Amino acid sequence: MAKIMAINAGSSSIKFQLLDMPAETVIASGVMERIGLATGIFTLKFDGKKEETNPVLPTHAEGVELLLHTLIEKGILKSLDEITGVGHRVVQGGEYFQDSALIDDEALAKIDKLKDLAPLHNPAHIIGIKAFQKALPNVAQVAVFDTVFHQTMSPECYMYATPYEWYENYGVRKYGAHGTSHQYVSQRTAELLGKDAKDTKIIVCHLGNGASICAVKGGKSIDTSMGLTPLEGIPMGTRSGNLDPTIVSFIAEKENLSASQVVNILNKKSGYLGMSGRSNDARDVTLGMDEGDYRCKLTFDVQAKRIVDYIASYYVLMGGCDAIAFTAGMGENLIHLRKNILDRLTVLGVKLDEEANNVRAVEREITTKDSAIKAFIVPTNEEVMIARDVIRITNK
Ligand code: ADP
């Protein structure tokens, strides 16, 4: 028996889940938000209860101290010695990491070196890791990278047709993201198909605020829609996804902005938010669509069209497809978006079961028995993957 903490540290927040392994049950979970501001928010869920307090959290270190102290105080843990490992989600592992890794000075230095490629994420992860190292100096810390699952892509999938020196000098290539989710969901989908993962061809649609599509053949990622950064691919909550790069200099000139200011707009003010003019949240855009707002409907249609472009291309790349899996906030909950996507795939023999599709966030098959490609809703579980990796890596 082991109790493992799965951590996702951001610049002003720490999400956590305490799991009992190998049972994979959640003992407690929650988030510390507004770290560094005048008042923080500490949400803790355990025993079917949800408690919220407003402690002052000057830095991540105080957040971690308070979290551990509270776990003891509430009787969730008898002693901190019960925690046998901490797994940290790390967004960018570059080409340094082909697997999750035990965190030592060398691993930390590499994560730090990769901050160029993930300026918002990797520095925040390091702060989180150091806070746990300080609080639990004798406990193994493991980094679980979003990019590792995609390291199996071949050069023809990950290379851009840019000067080769950009790759050699600066690491310009596709790395992808959401790897932990794509891996979990594809493994689970293989189980639902009743097949060994190595005998499957699965397309995972991770559709959250950030969204990416992944072609998983034989249990391995062979291509994915996010690129050097999460901007590439399909339109998302606030990101544009693919576009003609000339738009950057065109708009920079028109609106008197720098290239990085335009890229910032492509990351933060585009996608659902920019197109609908309402919100980055799919629930608000759905409301608009139901009221007959043209731009809201167009937002979903543009995204569905582009998702289907990827599905069609991955179908050919994999030489067929056994199943399409929908996951994350929108993939699990947006009934009309799944229908919009799957109806466009009729030409490949996909047959949606409208009644089965009429659910939110439950694991189930949503195509008819005679559908040529099956489709499933598979709620993602990145924390379980992180906890499994902590056990696997520390047992090595
Ligand atoms: P991320 O983790 O990338 O921030 P999520 O996976 O939480 O994103 O997905 C957020 C998106 O999921 C939002 O657009 C939100 O509107 C949508 N979503 C979440 N719950 C529901 C729901 N019950 N019905 C419709 N959409 C939902």
Side-chain angles (χ1 to χ4, degrees), residues 44 118 349 358 369:
L44 176 66
N358 199 17
K369 287 247 163 336

Side-chain angles (χ1 to χ4, degrees), residues 356-378:
N357 183 45
N358 199 17
V359 289
R360 294 178 202 281
V362 283
E363 187 179 273
R364 75 148 60 149
E365 191 170 337
I366 55 170
T367 36
T368 60
K369 287 247 163 336
D370 59 341
S371 180
I373 302 172
K374 290 176 186 295
F376 295 91
I377 305 169
V378 181

Side-chain angles (χ1 to χ4, degrees), residues 23-75:
E24 303 192 342
T25 47
V26 179
I27 304 166
S29 67
V31 59
M32 333 216 38
E33 293 165 281
R34 295 171 58 87
I35 296 172
L37 297 179
T39 49
I41 308 173
F42 176 20
T43 315
L44 176 66
K45 291 188 207 167
F46 67 105
D47 273 352
K49 289 178 279 195
K50 182 176 169 182
E51 297 181 357
E52 195 178 294
T53 51
N54 293 104
V56 183
L57 304 168
T59 71
H60 288 63
E62 283 87 1
V64 173
E65 285 295 342
L66 176 68
L67 166 61
L68 297 175
H69 175 79
T70 308
L71 293 176
I72 301 281
E73 191 187 69
K74 301 271 177 198

Side-chain angles (χ1 to χ4, degrees), residues 213 225 231-236 239-244 271 275 299-313 341 344:
I213 317 293
S225 60
L231 184 55
E232 190 179 345
I234 59 168
M236 314 173 203
R239 297 191 190 110
S240 62
N242 293 346
L243 42 71
D244 179 345
M275 285 204 71
T299 300
F300 287 119
D301 286 343
V302 168
Q303 194 195 36
K305 189 266 172 194
R306 302 257 217 109
I307 290 170
V308 169
D309 288 347
Y310 275 100
I311 293 175
S313 127
I341 294 165
R344 290 168 193 263

Side-chain angles (χ1 to χ4, degrees), residues 121-143:
H121 292 102
N122 275 26
H125 300 322
I126 291 176
I127 294 170
I129 290 166
K130 287 190 170 159
F132 273 94
Q133 282 180 327
K134 188 169 163 230
L136 299 170
N138 301 318
V139 175
Q141 316 267 335
V142 173

